[in-house]
Amino acid sequence: MTNVRDSFHSRIGFILAAAGSAIGLGNIWGFPTQAANNGGGAFLFVYLLVTLLLALPALYAEIYIGNQAQKNPVSALGDACSHFSEGIGRKAGIIGLCGAIMMLSFYTIVAGWMLAHTLSSMAELAGMTQASAWLANSSTERNILFTPIFIFLGAAIIHQGVNAGIERWSARLMPILLVMLIGLIIYILQQPGADKGLEVYLIPDFARVTDPELIISAMGQAFFSLSIGVGGMMVYGSYMQKDKDMGKLVLSITALDTGIAFLAGLLIIPALFVAEHAGLDVFQDNQLIGEGQLIFHILPALFDSMGTIGLIVSSGFFLLLSIAALTSTISSTEVPVAYMVEDKGFSRKKATWLVSIIVLCSSGLLIAFFDVLFGAVIRVLTTILQPLSCLFYFIVVGWLWKRGNKLRDVSLQKDRKWLALWGNYLRYVCPVLLTVVFVNVAILN
């Protein structure tokens, strides 16, 4: 077991890496889809509300546990639960580690699709029509080619370490992602039909904000988009100096993540109405045709209708999604890597490539039995494992963790009244809210 841990060297490096973990396909792909299907502005309003009430506290709880322990999620949860049962804490950490592998197994497949579509547009620009068509059409062969590329691209960053790999590349990729997103928004908003999309997205119909289905969808999206519940944020928190303005850091990450989701909606929802204005079938009974597949069917068709400039915009759009996917896979990969390095004595290089091979095998299994396993793995992770993991974090912070837990330190709370209020909110309110989400999403739906 190593005694010297790598770490983030700057506050901004931590924020960009953690925001990169949170900002992924859930923000740029999932959020606009949910918003378009659930009333646009009404969904946005509720999403912002539940992010503040539930998702931000969950993110805080996960990062706080890792930061106080300065260990990987398995050891951190074991330490936090030592007064009650260290074994239960470590088992919960192992479950989170398995969740990270599950997430990587399907996420890398989807990320490979983004990479393939990026190259498809480039091939079309180069006049390679046949290659472009092959890259744009889903197939087992395409999955077998592009999934490993993405897995080993992430591994190449991870094995360099926290500062030289994760922090340095997050600081490069996140600004590129932001600039590309804003550039695409400016372009799309100038197209015919975009103003109708803006109206739908930015003006809420308050009659819909009490719709139970909309509320549950917004809660689930807010919870998933911050990438909480699989230990990635916990391990990132452990790489930050102890007690280093955790509240401000969590606020910064949440603001950046939510801001990117908002901008993604500002891009994709007007783009849908631009596509509709161009004569494409986008909605049926106020629901998106194809739902999650919209970016692979509707948007490429829109880009094709724009001619050469559309192919350039298309390649930029899918490159943006590829970068977002890469920053998210890095944190999930770091969870099992940190465990193997610290608890099992592996070198970082060996741990990284071993984890990558495990992910490759898991992804291969999903590719081989795609129709049966792909959707099932996503549902199990996002509707069962992640909510239950986060519920456990709230229980740990609010009830099980005593020694070293500042949120339950009576002597500290005498001088800082907000600490008692925040601790009680995490202890009593958040578990109830999260239980409501879990029951409605995982059981009633």
Side-chain angles (χ1 to χ4, degrees):
M1 185 172 175
T2 184
N3 292 318
V4 181
R5 298 181 89 237
D6 200 353
S7 65
F8 292 111
H9 288 194
S10 67
R11 174 191 172 92
I12 189 65
F14 170 76
I15 291 172
L16 288 174
S21 170
I23 296 165
L25 302 180
N27 296 71
I28 300 176
W29 177 21
F31 172 78
T33 304
Q34 291 280 8
N37 281 330
N38 292 281
F43 180 86
L44 176 63
F45 176 80
V46 176
Y47 173 81
L48 294 174
L49 193 63
V50 296
T51 294
L52 186 65
L53 295 176
L54 177 62
L56 187 152
L59 177 63
Y60 179 92
E62 182 167 338
I63 291 179
Y64 176 65
I65 293 170
N67 184 252
Q68 292 299 300
Q70 297 284 291
K71 294 178 180 178
N72 66 80
V74 177
S75 297
L77 286 169
D79 286 358
C81 295
S82 59
H83 183 79
F84 176 75
S85 171
E86 182 179 349
I88 288 177
R90 290 186 67 86
K91 285 183 176 65
I94 293 291
I95 291 170
L97 187 153
C98 293
I101 297 290
M102 285 174 65
M103 179 177 283
L104 286 165
S105 68
F106 73 79
Y107 211 90
T108 50
I109 295 172
V110 179
W113 300 346
M114 306 302 173
L115 202 54
H117 275 271
T118 303
L119 295 176
S120 174
S121 300
M122 293 178 178
E124 185 73 23
L125 279 168
M128 303 165 65
T129 309
Q130 193 172 354
S132 175
W134 184 83
L135 288 164
N137 292 314
S138 179
S139 67
T140 300
E141 292 78 14
R142 193 185 71 173
N143 287 339
I144 290 171
L145 175 62
F146 280 93
T147 301
I149 290 174
F150 214 91
I151 291 171
F152 292 118
L153 194 59
I157 294 173
I158 285 285
H159 99 273
Q160 295 176 54
V162 178
N163 172 243
I166 298 171
E167 183 172 358
R168 180 180 297 172
W169 279 98
S170 295
R172 291 171 178 172
L173 294 172
M174 287 305 297
I176 293 171
L177 185 150
L178 189 58
V179 169
M180 289 179 65
L181 184 55
I182 292 171
L184 287 167
I185 289 169
I186 292 170
Y187 178 79
I188 286 294
L189 292 184
Q190 295 178 45
Q191 306 308 306
D195 52 347
K196 186 179 177 182
L198 273 180
E199 184 180 334
V200 168
Y201 183 51
L202 297 179
I203 302 175
D205 176 3
F206 286 103
R208 294 200 60 181
V209 299
T210 54
D211 180 354
E213 188 174 334
L214 184 150
I215 293 170
I216 295 305
S217 296
M219 282 184 169
Q221 180 61 37
F223 181 74
F224 179 65
S225 72
L226 275 169
S227 192
I228 43 184
V230 294
M233 290 300 191
M234 194 179 297
V235 77
Y236 274 13
S238 76
Y239 292 139
M240 195 64 191
Q241 185 180 336
K242 198 171 181 179
D243 298 322
K244 189 73 172 180
D245 298 325
M246 291 310 302
K248 291 179 181 177
L249 290 170
V250 170
L251 280 172
S252 299
I253 295 161
T254 306
L256 192 50
D257 175 78
T258 306
I260 294 289
F262 172 77
L263 289 175
L266 206 56
L267 167 66
I268 291 177
I269 293 179
L272 293 175
F273 284 88
V274 171
E276 190 173 54
H277 185 272
L280 298 173
D281 292 327
V282 177
F283 294 96
Q284 185 174 11
D285 298 327
N286 293 320
Q287 293 291 300
L288 286 171
I289 296 171
E291 296 200 4
Q293 293 296 316
L294 75 110
I295 63 171
F296 300 116
H297 298 306
I298 297 169
L299 293 184
L302 169 64
F303 296 141
D304 284 344
S305 71
M306 297 176 180
T308 302
I309 188 67
L311 292 173
I312 295 170
V313 174
S314 178
S315 61
F317 174 75
F318 285 108
L319 182 60
L320 166 73
L321 286 168
S322 299
I323 292 171
L326 181 59
T327 57
S328 292
T329 55
I330 288 170
S331 68
S332 297
T333 306
E334 182 63 18
V335 176
V337 167
Y339 170 70
M340 292 174 72
V341 169
E342 294 175 17
D343 283 27
K344 301 300 179 184
F346 284 75
S347 69
R348 171 166 281 272
K349 183 177 180 179
K350 186 177 179 181
T352 301
W353 294 111
L354 183 56
V355 168
S356 298
I357 290 168
I358 292 170
V359 172
L360 183 60
C361 292
S362 301
S363 298
L365 195 62
L366 261 62
I367 292 169
F369 301 97
F370 189 87
D371 292 338
V372 177
L373 292 179
F374 188 78
V377 168
I378 294 175
R379 282 192 297 275
V380 168
L381 178 70
T382 59
T383 64
I384 298 175
L385 196 148
Q386 281 187 286
L388 288 181
S389 291
C390 248
L391 181 59
F392 184 71
Y393 299 159
F394 285 136
I395 292 170
V396 168
V397 169
W399 299 91
L400 303 182
W401 180 15
K402 296 183 178 179
R403 189 172 55 220
N405 184 1
K406 292 179 172 58
L407 295 175
R408 297 190 63 191
D409 191 322
V410 177
S411 61
L412 287 175
Q413 291 174 1
K414 287 179 182 177
D415 298 323
R416 292 182 277 181
K417 299 296 183 185
W418 64 267
L419 199 63
L421 289 172
W422 181 236
N424 286 330
Y425 184 77
L426 293 175
R427 189 179 194 188
Y428 297 108
V429 180
C430 289
V432 173
L433 287 176
L434 195 49
T435 300
V436 169
V437 175
F438 177 72
V439 169
N440 280 277
V441 174
I443 298 174
L444 298 183
N445 281 354

